[in-house]
């Protein structure tokens, strides 16, 4: 399936705290547009293209009202 080998020179090592801090700083500086594009991309990855291009499903609920 994959014909190319992984370029191990691009791998970085570190601890979780450093990477979490870098991620936090990145998302604090990201624009709203960048954040929404990322959310849309992740929704498509998890739920398929229809999750972002389809319409929202409607739910109808009927309730009986008490008279009197």
């Amino acid at each position: 399936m994959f014909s190319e080998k992984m370029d191990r020179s691009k791998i970085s090592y570190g601890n979780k705290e450093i990477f979490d801090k870098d991620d936090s700083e990145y998302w604090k500086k990201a624009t709203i547009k960048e954040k929404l594009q990322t959310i849309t991309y992740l929704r498509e990855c998890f739920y398929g293209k229809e999750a972002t291009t389809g319409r929202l499903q409607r739910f109808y609920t009927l309730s009986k009202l008490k008279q009197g």
Side-chain angles (χ1 to χ4, degrees), residues 29-42:
K29 294 176 186 175
T31 64
I32 296 294
K33 184 177 180 179
E34 291 171 323
K35 292 175 185 177
L36 289 174
Q37 286 174 334
T38 303
I39 291 169
T40 302
Y41 170 75
L42 292 172

Side-chain angles (χ1 to χ4, degrees), residues 1-32:
M1 181 175 183
F2 294 101
S3 59
E4 298 178 25
K5 288 189 173 187
M6 182 187 303
D7 183 2
R8 296 189 187 274
S9 67
K10 305 286 184 198
I11 297 174
S12 61
Y13 298 93
N15 62 23
K16 182 181 179 305
E17 289 78 24
I18 291 172
F19 289 125
D20 284 348
K21 184 179 178 191
D22 291 346
D23 286 345
S24 304
E25 290 173 9
Y26 172 81
W27 287 114
K28 285 179 187 175
K29 294 176 186 175
T31 64
I32 296 294

